[in-house]
Amino acid sequence: MTSTFRIPRKELTGLYGRAIAWYARRTFGQVPDSAYVLAHHPRAMRAMFGLEMKVGRWTALDPTLKTLAEMATAAAVGCSWCLDFGYFLSREEGLDPTKISQVPRWRDTDAVYTELERDVMAYAEAMTATPPTVTDDMVASLVARLGSPAMVELTEMVAVENLRSRSFSAAGVQSQGYSDVCELPLASP
């Protein structure tokens, strides 16, 4: 599937654009289509990439839980690019491909998720709903098991993934085939 680019694709030019393209090709094998959309607004592009770099350094939440929350959020929004790229990144991080590949249909799958993993994905979906359907009991249960710092990180990761998924979907950015290199196919929602 290729991106429809509701906001026209703009080439990455200038020193910053070339640096982004070089880094992306070196790190991911290709330039994410989202960069071609953000290139229309260099300040927005710098702000978003800066946010991504800062978010990438957070460590209070277990990496598997973080990825499950991000992928559950992307699936709830329907962002094929986010699912594709998220699955690719989880492979690069050495996370369990069976668990990660089944996130789009985690409620209906036989994949083995712990109770905590299921609660994290349910929380991500509840935060993503409009209006949010998060309950006091849901939060209290997760805080008791994760601790407050990890719960704050979980909440912010779901919020950041909502930002990504909703903006990329609205811009027409779709799966680029990042997950094609993964040993298991990504499940369809």
Side-chain angles (χ1 to χ4, degrees), residues 71-146:
M71 299 278 290
T73 302
V77 170
C79 181
S80 66
W81 188 89
C82 297
L83 288 168
D84 178 43
F85 192 66
Y87 186 36
F88 167 78
L89 289 179
S90 72
R91 174 187 173 267
E92 298 299 300
E93 293 171 15
L95 303 181
D96 182 348
T98 304
K99 285 185 179 188
I100 305 302
S101 70
Q102 296 302 308
V103 171
R105 55 190 189 109
W106 70 271
R107 290 184 186 276
D108 304 318
T109 187
D110 291 335
V112 179
Y113 294 108
T114 66
E115 182 181 341
L116 177 59
E117 290 167 341
R118 288 184 177 279
D119 288 350
V120 163
M121 290 185 282
Y123 178 74
E125 287 181 355
M127 258 189 79
T128 302
T130 304
T133 58
V134 174
T135 66
D136 292 344
D137 290 341
M138 186 182 285
V139 174
S141 173
L142 286 169
V143 168
R145 291 179 285 165
L146 296 174

Side-chain angles (χ1 to χ4, degrees), residues 4-81:
T4 57
F5 289 107
R6 291 182 184 122
I7 298 172
R9 176 187 163 117
K10 183 177 187 318
E11 291 305 313
L12 300 170
T13 58
L15 182 60
Y16 189 75
R18 288 192 306 274
I20 291 293
W22 172 84
Y23 175 80
R25 285 188 189 100
R26 184 171 176 258
T27 306
F28 312 123
Q30 62 181 317
V31 177
D33 283 349
S34 57
Y36 295 117
V37 172
L38 287 169
H40 285 284
H41 195 303
R43 281 184 161 174
M45 182 166 61
R46 281 191 297 277
M48 292 307 301
F49 290 153
L51 173 65
E52 291 293 349
M53 289 177 66
K54 289 176 182 174
V55 166
R57 291 191 292 263
W58 294 350
T59 60
L61 183 63
D62 174 82
T64 297
L65 296 177
K66 186 182 299 190
T67 299
L68 292 173
E70 289 173 305
M71 299 278 290
T73 302
V77 170
C79 181
S80 66
W81 188 89

Side-chain angles (χ1 to χ4, degrees), residues 58 60-61 123 143 146-158:
W58 294 350
L61 183 63
Y123 178 74
V143 168
L146 296 174
S148 294
M151 187 62 191
V152 169
E153 187 170 319
L154 171 61
T155 301
E156 295 310 313
M157 287 312 306
V158 173

